[in-house]
Amino acid sequence: MTDQTIEPRSVPLGGLRGLEVDRTLPVMGLPTIGPWCFLDQFGPTFQSMEVLPHPHTGLQTVSWLFSGEIEHRDSLGNVAKIKRGQLSLMTAGDGISHSEFSLDSFRSMHGLQFWIALPETRRHLEPAYQFIEELPITRQRGWEATVFMGEYQGTSSPAEVYSPIVGAQIDCGVGRHRIPLNPDFEHGVLAVDTSMDVDGLRVSKRALRFVPKGRDFVEVDAPARSTIVLFGGEPWEDPLIVWWNFVGRTHDEIAEARHDWATAAPRFGSVEGHDGYVIPAPPLPPVRLKPRKRRLP
């Protein structure tokens, strides 16, 4: 598999009033990077985020802000107010529901939401939530990395992970930087706030560079002080179906989860503070869902 540059595509996100997001994962031919199976970037924007309660299965949601403040509420009773540099990590397991609302309309909101597919050993267990206010930082000449998931350059996040993984915000000074990689991992390099060259190829602002397994560094040429997000893990081998907010292995699993949400089954609980309003599930397509396949050369 070779390096690929993935341009973002703008999509409206259900439940976010008037707000569009830039999606770089999944795309045709690349359903995952390691266990990471979804990546949206929202903002910078002064528009509000208003995401009513909705369900998840089989994944971890990773919410990461560059600016603004968002309130997370979930069916376990957790309430957290998330700011820049703080990690909101929700492990869905067999089922959870949550809501997300922005809090400060006078400040620009900008952030990412990732999904991480859970391995077979974890995906049917009880849900959980972590809110981590302080995360470790590793520094090298010209750049520093905040490690929010997994391990990077000997620095480990306190976040609970269930497969070998890395997720780090790397803030770079002007110039060329050699960014170390774990050669056992495949990686994504997201250009957050400016276009830059990665290994001599242009990656536009908000675009993603896929780096296959076997590489032990990339060279990033930053024209200004800039931020990239590095994420990755061991290549994902299990079949994976991602439909709406559910991650599963078979069509029947997804159909069961949709039915349980539509019928208010106890599996997903309820989120306080919304007077019973939720995001309804869309109809299933008229064909059986099949696992996504990797087709990149």
Side-chain angles (χ1 to χ4, degrees), residues 30-108:
L30 187 64
T32 59
I33 297 178
W36 305 78
C37 61
F38 179 93
L39 170 56
D40 276 353
Q41 183 171 180
F42 52 88
T45 180
F46 287 95
Q47 292 177 302
S48 60
M49 173 182 285
E50 299 177 1
V51 187
L52 286 168
H54 57 283
H56 288 290
T57 62
L59 57 80
Q60 290 182 294
T61 63
V62 177
S63 299
W64 185 251
L65 290 179
F66 305 112
S67 64
E69 186 174 6
I70 293 173
E71 182 180 81
H72 161 98
R73 291 175 177 262
D74 64 43
S75 53
L76 302 179
N78 296 296
V79 179
K81 297 180 179 180
I82 308 150
K83 299 179 181 179
R84 171 185 171 89
Q86 299 175 339
L87 177 67
S88 175
L89 177 65
M90 188 178 72
T91 302
D94 195 50
I96 197 171
S97 57
H98 74 137
S99 65
E100 298 160 292
F101 278 69
S102 54
L103 293 176
D104 188 350
S105 61
F106 297 101
R107 295 177 58 199
S108 173

Side-chain angles (χ1 to χ4, degrees), residues 72-248:
H72 161 98
R73 291 175 177 262
D74 64 43
S75 53
L76 302 179
N78 296 296
V79 179
K81 297 180 179 180
I82 308 150
K83 299 179 181 179
R84 171 185 171 89
Q86 299 175 339
L87 177 67
S88 175
L89 177 65
M90 188 178 72
T91 302
D94 195 50
I96 197 171
S97 57
H98 74 137
S99 65
E100 298 160 292
F101 278 69
S102 54
L103 293 176
D104 188 350
S105 61
F106 297 101
R107 295 177 58 199
S108 173
M109 178 181 62
H110 183 199
L112 305 174
Q113 185 164 107
F114 294 96
W115 295 356
I116 302 170
L118 288 169
E120 192 65 30
T121 55
R122 182 61 181 84
R123 69 189 188 96
H124 292 301
L125 300 182
E126 293 296 314
Y129 180 73
Q130 277 186 287
F131 173 55
I132 302 173
E133 297 184 70
E134 295 186 8
L135 290 149
I137 295 175
T138 181
R139 294 179 173 87
Q140 296 197 20
R141 184 174 181 180
W143 57 269
E144 67 176 31
T146 303
V147 184
F148 55 86
M149 293 293 290
E151 185 271 341
Y152 184 63
Q153 291 296 289
T155 299
S156 296
S157 166
E160 291 285 343
V161 297
Y162 301 98
S163 53
I165 200 171
V166 62
Q169 174 180 321
I170 302 179
D171 297 305
C172 302
V174 179
R176 181 169 296 175
H177 309 283
R178 178 173 287 203
I179 306 299
L181 303 178
N182 181 341
D184 294 330
F185 288 0
E186 57 188 15
H187 294 84
V189 180
L190 179 71
V192 172
D193 52 7
T194 188
S195 300
M196 62 182 64
D197 290 344
V198 179
D199 285 342
L201 297 176
R202 196 67 170 171
V203 178
S204 60
K205 177 182 176 180
R206 305 170 79 85
L208 173 69
R209 181 74 180 275
F210 170 71
V211 183
K213 179 180 175 179
R215 300 281 300 279
D216 56 12
F217 70 90
V218 291
E219 284 194 344
V220 172
D221 196 351
R225 291 185 62 85
S226 55
T227 296
I228 63 173
V229 170
L230 176 73
F231 63 99
E234 294 180 347
W236 185 264
E237 302 293 342
D238 293 347
L240 199 66
I241 295 177
V242 180
W243 180 82
W244 194 45
N245 297 313
F246 306 130
V247 174

Side-chain angles (χ1 to χ4, degrees), residues 274-288:
H274 299 291
D275 297 325
Y277 290 102
V278 301
I279 299 177
L284 280 166
V287 297
R288 289 186 68 82

